[in-house]
Amino acid sequence: MKYKETAVIKEQRELATGIYSMWLQAERIAGEAVPGQFLSVYSRDESRMLPRPISICEINREQGALRLVYRIAGKGTLEFSQYGPGDSLELVGPLGNGFPLDKGYGKVFLIGGGIGIPPMVELAAQLPGEKQIVAGYRNHELFLKEELERNGSVYIATEDGSAGTRGNVLDAIRKNGLKAEAIFACGPTPMLRALKAYAAEHGMDCYLSLEERMACGVGACLGCVCRSMDVDSHTYVKNKRICKDGPVFAAEDIEL
Amino acid sequence: MKYKETAVIKEQRELATGIYSMWLQAERIAGEAVPGQFLSVYSRDESRMLPRPISICEINREQGALRLVYRIAGKGTLEFSQYGPGDSLELVGPLGNGFPLDKGYGKVFLIGGGIGIPPMVELAAQLPGEKQIVAGYRNHELFLKEELERNGSVYIATEDGSAGTRGNVLDAIRKNGLKAEAIFACGPTPMLRALKAYAAEHGMDCYLSLEERMACGVGACLGCVCRSMDVDSHTYVKNKRICKDGPVFAAEDIEL
Amino acid sequence: MVNKHMKYGTCVNLAGVELKNPVMTASGTFGSGAEYSEFYDLSALGAVVTKGVANVPWPGNPTPRIAETASGMLNAIGLQNPGIDVFIERDIPFLRQFDTRIVVNVCGRTISDYCEVVERLSDQPVDLLEINVSCPNVKEGGIAFGQKPEALEEVTRQVKKHAKQPVIMKLSPNVTSIGEMARAAEAGGADVLSLINTLTGMKIDIHKRAFALANRTGGLSGPAIKPVAVRMVYEAAQAVSLPIIGMGGIQNGEDALEFILAGATAVSVGTANFANPCSAKEVAEGIRAYMEQYQVEKIQDLIGAVGSVY
Amino acid sequence: MVNKHMKYGTCVNLAGVELKNPVMTASGTFGSGAEYSEFYDLSALGAVVTKGVANVPWPGNPTPRIAETASGMLNAIGLQNPGIDVFIERDIPFLRQFDTRIVVNVCGRTISDYCEVVERLSDQPVDLLEINVSCPNVKEGGIAFGQKPEALEEVTRQVKKHAKQPVIMKLSPNVTSIGEMARAAEAGGADVLSLINTLTGMKIDIHKRAFALANRTGGLSGPAIKPVAVRMVYEAAQAVSLPIIGMGGIQNGEDALEFILAGATAVSVGTANFANPCSAKEVAEGIRAYMEQYQVEKIQDLIGAVGSVY
Ligand SMILES: Cc1cc2nc3c(=O)[nH]c(=O)nc-3n(C[C@H](O)[C@H](O)[C@H](O)COP(=O)(O)OP(=O)(O)OC[C@H]3O[C@@H](n4cnc5c(N)ncnc54)[C@H](O)[C@@H]3O)c2cc1C
Ligand SMILES: Cc1cc2nc3c(=O)[nH]c(=O)nc-3n(C[C@H](O)[C@H](O)[C@H](O)COP(=O)(O)OP(=O)(O)OC[C@H]3O[C@@H](n4cnc5c(N)ncnc54)[C@H](O)[C@@H]3O)c2cc1C
Ligand SMILES: Cc1cc2nc3c(=O)[nH]c(=O)nc-3n(C[C@H](O)[C@H](O)[C@H](O)COP(=O)(O)O)c2cc1C
Ligand SMILES: Cc1cc2nc3c(=O)[nH]c(=O)nc-3n(C[C@H](O)[C@H](O)[C@H](O)COP(=O)(O)O)c2cc1C
Ligand code: FES
Ligand code: FES
């Protein structure tokens, strides 16, 4: 089920420059959400009609709470960052399919690049098996590192070399000589493309969370498609909807 | 001089159902404002571009503060009512001409109808002479009555008869047998029209504060004109700009 | 309490098809209803209008297909659709579950494309056909038919020959005279007009110095265009005597009432679905609330009832 | 620190007239500058464009003349203006105090009205003339000339015969093909094009069941129309080789840059002045900031520089 829910902000704080963390009270959505799903978050400013898709970072089902971690990318996320405890936000969710949790892998990579790191937190908590979490940051502001360390061994890459391996997530994997059966990843498209190639080369399974501009967020408008290998369930033209058929896809199923 | 100023809200409270009072810290505007002038108050919501014209209710020049009293009439004023102390608002002002203070009348009527009452507060404080203040309300919620009583004798009319004279401000004047040399008034157009006729009939001077939909608020767009007896200073076609040549006009100078 | 009058007062009639209330969904913003049926019972609506369907599947345009603009959005979906076969097999049966009218939006590249789809639908349980001759996002067909009165009249006439259900012609706002276009559709035999489709627009990403949409241009929709839409509905209503379905930026009952007062018999809710998945239902509720507030016995009393008080 | 390149990099040239920066004011939103000169020194602007002036005073339309809409507004001022005599005596001397270009917007009911005003201005210290053939708020003249290519070409040709200064033709967006209109103005001899004027719109007060504007329709302006304006500037720039002044919803430097990348040589700021009296100056500052951020040496490198990255 998807819900339209008015959520109350329980906590909001800046984790790193321009990166905010928000805990929201949203019982119905929290009751059903799974790792890798996302929410449509709405601006209160009426000039901004479209929802902002934001991945679920953590789920506290007992408390009916969800955590979102987001980067100020424009006016919508700037607006969200200005709210505080007690303020409310309109949400629709949980949306999309989430990562597969039942493949039975022994040893996996969870790979997050930049603002693709947040969904790895809940995934690490729920995915069975041995988790090697590789997180690529811009600099030494290693947001969510502690949360990641709760459920796996964490390897860091930074663009400026200020922490962990200088370079990208694949540099960190190589430098640390890491191996795994499968990849679960979220991050910028160039990173996902590189991971898809790496997985193919190493015969690994690979699940990627994609992004595209969205309007409806629920599969109705056909705005957010990606090219897919198989025919899609809507139009049968190999155009899968990221909001509905994704955002997580098996790498070999989509063009990147 | 007119200023664009970011004002900080010092106090906001609901005086009567849907009627709010707001004290704003706005040094430069407060330093020059006179009774009967108004401000352009801007929405923060970007879908609402045009300013809301709001009359100045009180001026505290020493503290650099201004008081606005407004009715929730739509989305803009609803937005304003949701802000609290410490929040800021963009203002432009002081705008318009204000009431004439130097006519040397011995005894005058200050007449406010509904949301036309607020400007009478500062006018009563600054206008010399004996002031008979006639305030027309909808019901027993006599907002600003105490403030008005500081500077004159107050006569009340209410539509539902729940306080003072049942009826309108002219009913209250007649019932109380009041007389004066001049009228200073603000309120709904039917009231102003009646006062204009009353003043003409009794040979009184009469100053009325008018309203019209505004865009620029400063005299540039020619949106807010009223028909005038004399040619106007802008176009010489007898179309005075309420925002610039008014909002206060001598009753005989304008069509109503 | 809703009295008997109120209960029946929202019915409207479009070329003989009765809608329980005047609220429809705007084509392309509501799929074939499945996605939004997760949020409310579609029986709350007067009609569901489907995404445009062609004779064969269309893959649509490359992404990005969506861009946000001030109080609106641009889309360049390019009429991605599964074609009439899948549509008949899957979408019509789905919609028949609900107590609402079914309007199928038809797109095509040539007149014979339109006629083929219309014929395929002739034995289907579909209430009305809406012919989209105004999509700005496809090269051939689409808007080309919607910008020339002669072409519009001709496509209308041909479609009418093949159609079993009443035909709604959906007009483009990207024209000099909407009245002229409305008259052309009427002359061609249209039963109903719907307007407006999107205004052609463009957004540029100044940091990438590139078009925000892969298609360069897209269709502008949402509250931003409402004043243009209300004006065009008013002008069309003055120009022809056909019933009109008004749309463009409707978000709530008040917006819908502007269109009805301007002369629309029914309204469609489009982009607002994206801002609130329950919009269309709430528009219907808002209209009812207004009718109760002002004691309007039947909605017909409001259609075209705008006047001047100045 | 601003280096020498940056200092001179914002100059643009409109038919031989050099502007220190590409930012102008949109006619009718800035009076003749007096009101906004209370907020900043008008010398910060590339040019001031005046409110439309006719051969004789016009009283304009009845009120209400203004209505707010989502991210925009409607106006139906109806070209109230004092006529060319007062204008020459009062407004031109006022504007000459500033180090900025003077552009006079000219309106009329007939071709000879336009020509009369243009002739009266021939010996005046005015840099450019902007011919408004696109005002939707007056019955005769105005938009009538702006919606038919032949009429536009003819009025352009006649005005050019009488004009001593370069002529800007201001185009209406209420047309099927802006490219066709741009070519007509070019064929008539226009030196520069400016676009867009307002889109015709309507708002209805559902509580009064009356038109929100006394004139019924008005011109829609503001950020709501920006996507339409950018698209039309792009299409006009593809259609003709004249310099273009782009406008429609510009509020800040980023908005202005969209127009410049789409092909505009200069831009005008209109409705935004009402939302912030310092808008036009801030647009100029925003353009400079962008040029510094991306190390753009001269603004010419940005004109029409939009590309595709998909
Ligand atoms: C499935 C999914 C999950 C996401 N999860 C997160 C997350 O957990 N944390 C986070 O910080 N960001 C996330 N993003 C990106 C986030 O949606 C955008 O950064 C955000 O929408 C920007 O909005 P804005 O108003 O600040 O920026 P603006 O650029 O002003 O937005 C303008 C429009 O573009 C859209 N838009 C802008 N950037 C993107 C983008 N990268 N992807 C999709 N639409 C975009 C906005 O939604 C809006 O409609 C996710 C995106 C997707 C598709
Ligand atoms: C000179 C002047 C002084 C005023 N002083 C006061 C005051 O002290 N207290 C107070 O409560 N109200 C005052 N008003 C009326 C006040 O401006 C409107 O109630 C307010 O603008 C409504 O805005 P809204 O967004 O809530 O309503 P909406 O109806 O949503 O506003 C939509 C648009 O219409 C305009 N508008 C709506 N009502 C009016 C109106 N009556 N007059 C002019 N424009 C209007 C708004 O400014 C806005 O542009 C004054 C008006 C004028 C012209
Ligand atoms: C994403 C999207 C897709 C659309 N697809 C179609 C379509 O397939 N057929 C059609 O006739 N109109 C289509 N439209 C136009 C809408 O039906 C409607 O005419 C327009 O959006 C104006 O209404 P609105 O402002 O309420 O959205 C589409 C609009 C949007 C936003
Ligand atoms: C109140 C108002 C008055 C206007 N008057 C004129 C005019 O006299 N002549 C003209 O050519 N355009 C006039 N316009 C149109 C503007 O110059 C401009 O083309 C249009 O508003 C789009 O720009 P914007 O969105 O930045 O306002 C007027 C616009 C407004 C809002
Ligand atoms: S955003 Fe509408 S289908 Fe994905
Ligand atoms: S509001 Fe612009 S002239 Fe008065």
Side-chain angles (χ1 to χ4, degrees):
Chain A
M1 266 297 277
K2 300 188 183 75
Y3 302 98
K4 173 167 155 36
E5 194 164 2
T6 304
V8 177
I9 298 175
K10 299 175 65 169
E11 183 198 286
Q12 162 111 274
R13 68 200 166 85
E14 192 170 3
L15 296 185
T17 313
I19 310 263
Y20 285 74
S21 163
M22 192 188 257
W23 274 102
L24 291 161
Q25 190 69 26
E27 275 89 12
R28 287 183 299 161
I29 299 175
E32 302 194 12
V34 298
Q37 285 190 305
F38 68 97
L39 306 180
S40 274
V41 186
Y42 290 87
S43 273
R44 278 199 229 157
D45 189 289
E46 293 180 30
S47 71
R48 290 188 282 279
M49 293 194 73
L50 299 182
R52 273 56 188 163
I54 305 286
S55 297
I56 295 168
C57 171
E58 283 191 67
I59 305 165
N60 185 327
R61 205 162 279 187
E62 298 75 52
Q63 298 194 12
L66 291 166
R67 185 182 192 183
L68 304 181
V69 171
Y70 61 96
R71 187 172 64 88
I72 297 187
K75 286 189 169 185
T77 45
L78 178 65
E79 181 194 318
F80 301 153
S81 74
Q82 287 159 352
Y83 297 129
D87 287 334
S88 62
L89 278 176
E90 292 298 319
L91 305 178
V92 169
L95 301 174
N97 55 1
F99 288 100
L101 302 176
D102 55 0
K103 298 286 178 179
Y105 299 115
K107 198 167 174 181
V108 297
F109 285 142
L110 269 52
I111 305 181
I115 202 63
I117 293 169
M120 296 302 136
V121 175
E122 188 64 29
L123 180 62
Q126 295 201 25
L127 188 72
E130 184 188 337
K131 285 149 281 195
Q132 302 174 98
I133 306 171
V134 191
Y137 294 93
R138 200 167 283 174
N139 54 35
H140 62 278
E141 295 191 291
L142 309 179
F143 60 90
L144 296 175
K145 178 166 170 281
E146 286 168 32
E147 284 85 338
L148 293 171
E149 283 167 345
R150 284 188 214 136
N151 294 295
S153 46
V154 175
Y155 303 87
I156 302 291
T158 56
E159 284 175 27
D160 66 358
S162 57
T165 308
R166 176 191 298 270
N168 60 33
V169 290
L170 276 176
D171 294 323
I173 288 174
R174 293 196 188 98
K175 182 90 167 280
N176 292 288
L178 305 178
K179 298 237 150 10
E181 295 153 47
I183 292 175
F184 293 75
C186 183
T189 306
M191 177 188 107
L192 300 184
R193 210 173 273 136
L195 292 177
K196 176 176 172 169
Y198 181 88
E201 195 183 309
H202 293 75
M204 299 163 73
D205 285 354
C206 181
Y207 302 95
L208 305 176
S209 177
L210 306 193
E211 275 191 18
E212 187 48 81
R213 302 281 155 152
M214 294 183 177
C216 71
V218 297
C221 75
L222 308 179
C224 67
V225 298
C226 63
R227 300 293 298 155
S228 57
M229 299 304 143
D230 292 335
V231 294
D232 58 277
S233 65
H234 180 279
T235 315
Y236 304 150
V237 290
K238 304 192 178 177
N239 264 351
K240 294 206 172 172
R241 291 165 294 179
I242 291 177
C243 70
K244 175 115 181 167
D245 307 318
V248 178
F249 294 97
E252 69 269 19
D253 287 352
I254 42 116
E255 273 182 30
L256 255 186
Chain B
M1 266 299 276
K2 300 186 182 77
Y3 302 98
K4 174 170 153 39
E5 194 165 0
T6 305
V8 178
I9 299 174
K10 297 175 65 168
E11 184 199 285
Q12 162 112 276
R13 69 200 165 85
E14 192 171 3
L15 296 185
T17 313
I19 311 265
Y20 285 74
S21 163
M22 192 188 257
W23 275 100
L24 292 161
Q25 190 69 26
E27 276 89 11
R28 288 183 299 162
I29 298 176
E32 301 193 11
V34 298
Q37 286 189 304
F38 69 96
L39 306 180
S40 273
V41 186
Y42 290 88
S43 273
R44 279 200 226 152
D45 189 289
E46 293 180 32
S47 71
R48 290 188 283 279
M49 293 194 73
L50 298 183
R52 271 57 186 163
I54 305 286
S55 298
I56 295 168
C57 171
E58 283 192 68
I59 306 165
N60 185 328
R61 205 161 278 186
E62 300 74 53
Q63 298 195 12
L66 291 167
R67 185 182 191 184
L68 305 181
V69 172
Y70 61 96
R71 187 172 63 89
I72 297 187
K75 285 190 171 183
T77 45
L78 178 66
E79 180 195 320
F80 302 154
S81 75
Q82 286 159 352
Y83 297 130
D87 287 335
S88 63
L89 277 176
E90 293 297 319
L91 304 178
V92 168
L95 300 174
N97 56 2
F99 288 99
L101 301 176
D102 55 0
K103 297 286 178 178
Y105 299 115
K107 199 166 173 179
V108 297
F109 284 141
L110 269 53
I111 305 180
I115 202 64
I117 293 169
M120 296 302 135
V121 176
E122 188 64 29
L123 180 62
Q126 295 201 25
L127 187 72
E130 185 188 335
K131 283 148 285 192
Q132 302 174 100
I133 307 172
V134 191
Y137 295 93
R138 200 166 285 174
N139 54 34
H140 63 279
E141 294 191 293
L142 309 179
F143 59 91
L144 296 175
K145 178 166 170 279
E146 285 167 34
E147 285 86 338
L148 292 170
E149 283 167 343
R150 285 187 214 135
N151 294 293
S153 44
V154 174
Y155 303 87
I156 303 291
T158 55
E159 284 174 29
D160 66 358
S162 57
T165 308
R166 177 191 296 270
N168 61 32
V169 290
L170 276 176
D171 295 324
I173 288 175
R174 291 197 189 100
K175 183 90 169 276
N176 291 288
L178 305 178
K179 299 236 149 13
E181 294 154 48
I183 292 174
F184 294 75
C186 184
T189 306
M191 176 187 107
L192 300 184
R193 210 173 274 139
L195 292 178
K196 178 177 169 168
Y198 181 88
E201 196 183 308
H202 294 75
M204 300 163 74
D205 286 355
C206 181
Y207 303 95
L208 304 176
S209 179
L210 305 192
E211 274 191 19
E212 188 48 80
R213 302 280 154 153
M214 295 184 176
C216 71
V218 299
C221 75
L222 308 179
C224 67
V225 297
C226 63
R227 299 294 297 154
S228 58
M229 298 305 143
D230 293 335
V231 294
D232 60 276
S233 65
H234 179 278
T235 315
Y236 304 151
V237 290
K238 305 192 177 177
N239 264 352
K240 293 205 172 174
R241 291 165 293 179
I242 291 176
C243 70
K244 174 114 178 169
D245 308 319
V248 178
F249 294 97
E252 70 269 20
D253 288 351
I254 43 119
E255 273 182 30
L256 256 185
Chain C
M1 255 213 21
V2 177
N3 66 32
K4 212 180 148 195
H5 278 292
M6 300 310 299
K7 205 162 155 204
Y8 296 106
T10 60
C11 281
V12 296
N13 188 302
L14 291 175
V17 178
E18 195 162 87
L19 276 61
K20 62 166 72 151
N21 68 51
V23 181
M24 316 172 57
T25 58
S27 176
T29 65
F30 209 73
S32 287
E35 293 79 11
Y36 288 101
S37 73
E38 296 190 50
F39 294 93
Y40 61 93
D41 180 350
L42 303 184
S43 306
L45 303 177
V48 169
V49 183
T50 68
K51 171 78 185 163
V53 60
N55 53 342
V56 293
W58 290 12
N61 289 322
T63 56
R65 292 177 172 186
I66 300 284
E68 194 181 52
T69 67
S71 294
M73 62 173 283
L74 290 168
N75 90 80
I77 308 297
L79 293 172
Q80 176 180 330
N81 79 86
I84 189 65
D85 293 340
V86 170
F87 183 83
I88 286 177
E89 211 174 285
R90 178 187 63 188
D91 295 14
I92 295 179
F94 172 81
L95 281 170
R96 290 202 69 195
Q97 299 172 268
F98 303 96
D99 175 23
T100 188
R101 296 296 181 174
I102 302 176
V103 183
V104 179
N105 182 279
V106 177
C107 57
R109 290 198 175 83
T110 61
I111 291 189
S112 71
D113 283 359
Y114 287 111
C115 294
E116 187 184 336
V117 178
V118 162
E119 281 202 342
R120 290 293 314 280
L121 289 167
S122 59
D123 60 354
Q124 289 293 318
V126 160
D127 298 295
L128 290 151
L129 306 174
E130 182 180 57
I131 312 301
N132 178 8
V133 287
S134 47
C135 180
N137 298 324
V138 293
K139 292 256 146 43
E140 307 136 37
I143 205 164
F145 293 113
Q147 291 187 317
K148 293 205 187 98
E150 310 77 40
L152 177 62
E153 186 176 333
E154 181 57 19
V155 71
T156 308
R157 184 165 293 123
Q158 295 303 326
V159 164
K160 272 298 290 179
K161 274 192 200 149
H162 296 82
K164 287 279 176 304
Q165 295 92 346
V167 168
I168 307 166
M169 295 304 294
K170 183 160 180 183
L171 306 185
S172 169
N174 301 292
V175 296
T176 305
S177 166
I178 196 74
E180 189 182 7
M181 299 305 291
R183 280 188 298 266
E186 187 176 48
D191 300 295
V192 181
L193 302 181
S194 66
L195 64 157
I196 61 177
N197 209 314
T198 53
L199 282 159
T200 310
M202 176 182 282
K203 181 173 175 172
I204 293 175
D205 181 325
I206 63 163
H207 302 291
K208 296 187 182 149
R209 293 184 202 160
F211 302 103
L213 298 174
N215 189 51
R216 300 190 174 195
T217 59
L220 181 64
S221 62
I225 68 168
K226 196 184 70 174
V228 174
V230 172
R231 186 263 297 180
M232 289 192 166
V233 165
Y234 178 79
E235 287 180 359
Q238 302 293 310
V240 299
S241 57
L242 301 175
I244 290 172
I245 303 164
M247 74 195 86
I250 296 175
Q251 287 190 292
N252 49 44
E254 280 135 46
D255 295 335
L257 284 154
E258 278 197 67
F259 283 86
I260 292 168
L261 291 167
T265 296
V267 295
S268 286
V269 179
T271 304
N273 293 302
F274 308 154
N276 169 4
C278 302
S279 291
K281 182 178 70 120
E282 292 175 12
V283 169
E285 289 161 359
I287 293 173
R288 262 192 297 275
Y290 177 93
M291 290 176 69
E292 292 198 27
Q293 184 189 346
Y294 289 103
Q295 310 254 7
V296 179
E297 295 206 353
K298 44 188 198 333
I299 194 137
Q300 280 71 16
D301 296 342
L302 296 173
I303 298 171
V306 63
S308 288
V309 290
Y310 310 104
Chain D
M1 251 211 28
V2 177
N3 66 31
K4 213 177 147 200
H5 278 292
M6 300 312 298
K7 205 163 153 204
Y8 295 106
T10 60
C11 282
V12 295
N13 188 301
L14 291 175
V17 178
E18 196 163 85
L19 276 61
K20 63 167 71 154
N21 67 53
V23 182
M24 315 172 60
T25 57
S27 177
T29 65
F30 210 73
S32 287
E35 292 79 13
Y36 289 100
S37 72
E38 296 188 51
F39 293 93
Y40 62 92
D41 181 351
L42 303 184
S43 306
L45 303 177
V48 170
V49 183
T50 69
K51 170 77 185 164
V53 60
N55 53 342
V56 292
W58 289 11
N61 290 324
T63 55
R65 293 178 170 184
I66 301 284
E68 195 181 52
T69 67
S71 294
M73 63 175 281
L74 290 167
N75 89 80
I77 308 296
L79 293 172
Q80 176 180 333
N81 80 88
I84 188 66
D85 293 340
V86 169
F87 183 82
I88 287 178
E89 211 174 285
R90 177 187 65 189
D91 295 14
I92 295 180
F94 171 81
L95 282 170
R96 291 203 67 197
Q97 298 171 268
F98 302 95
D99 177 23
T100 188
R101 295 297 181 174
I102 302 176
V103 183
V104 179
N105 182 278
V106 178
C107 57
R109 290 196 175 83
T110 61
I111 292 191
S112 72
D113 285 357
Y114 286 111
C115 294
E116 188 184 335
V117 179
V118 161
E119 279 202 341
R120 291 291 314 279
L121 289 166
S122 60
D123 60 354
Q124 289 293 317
V126 159
D127 298 295
L128 290 150
L129 306 174
E130 182 178 57
I131 312 301
N132 178 7
V133 287
S134 47
C135 180
N137 298 324
V138 293
K139 293 256 145 43
E140 306 135 39
I143 204 162
F145 293 114
Q147 291 187 317
K148 294 207 186 95
E150 311 77 39
L152 177 61
E153 185 175 336
E154 181 58 17
V155 70
T156 309
R157 184 166 292 123
Q158 293 303 326
V159 164
K160 272 299 288 178
K161 274 191 200 151
H162 296 83
K164 286 281 175 303
Q165 294 92 345
V167 168
I168 308 166
M169 294 305 292
K170 184 159 180 183
L171 305 185
S172 170
N174 300 293
V175 295
T176 306
S177 166
I178 196 74
E180 188 182 10
M181 299 305 291
R183 281 189 297 268
E186 188 176 48
D191 301 293
V192 181
L193 302 181
S194 66
L195 63 158
I196 61 173
N197 208 315
T198 53
L199 282 160
T200 308
M202 178 181 281
K203 181 172 174 173
I204 292 175
D205 181 324
I206 63 163
H207 302 291
K208 296 185 182 151
R209 294 186 201 159
F211 302 104
L213 298 174
N215 189 53
R216 300 191 173 195
T217 59
L220 181 64
S221 62
I225 67 169
K226 197 184 71 175
V228 174
V230 172
R231 184 264 296 181
M232 289 195 167
V233 164
Y234 179 80
E235 287 181 0
Q238 303 293 310
V240 299
S241 57
L242 301 176
I244 290 172
I245 303 165
M247 74 195 88
I250 297 175
Q251 288 191 291
N252 50 43
E254 281 134 46
D255 295 334
L257 285 153
E258 277 197 67
F259 283 86
I260 292 168
L261 291 166
T265 296
V267 295
S268 286
V269 179
T271 304
N273 293 300
F274 308 154
N276 168 5
C278 302
S279 292
K281 182 178 71 120
E282 291 174 12
V283 169
E285 289 161 2
I287 293 174
R288 263 192 298 276
Y290 178 92
M291 289 176 70
E292 292 196 28
Q293 184 189 346
Y294 289 103
Q295 309 254 7
V296 179
E297 295 204 353
K298 43 187 199 337
I299 193 136
Q300 280 71 20
D301 296 342
L302 296 173
I303 298 172
V306 63
S308 287
V309 292
Y310 309 102

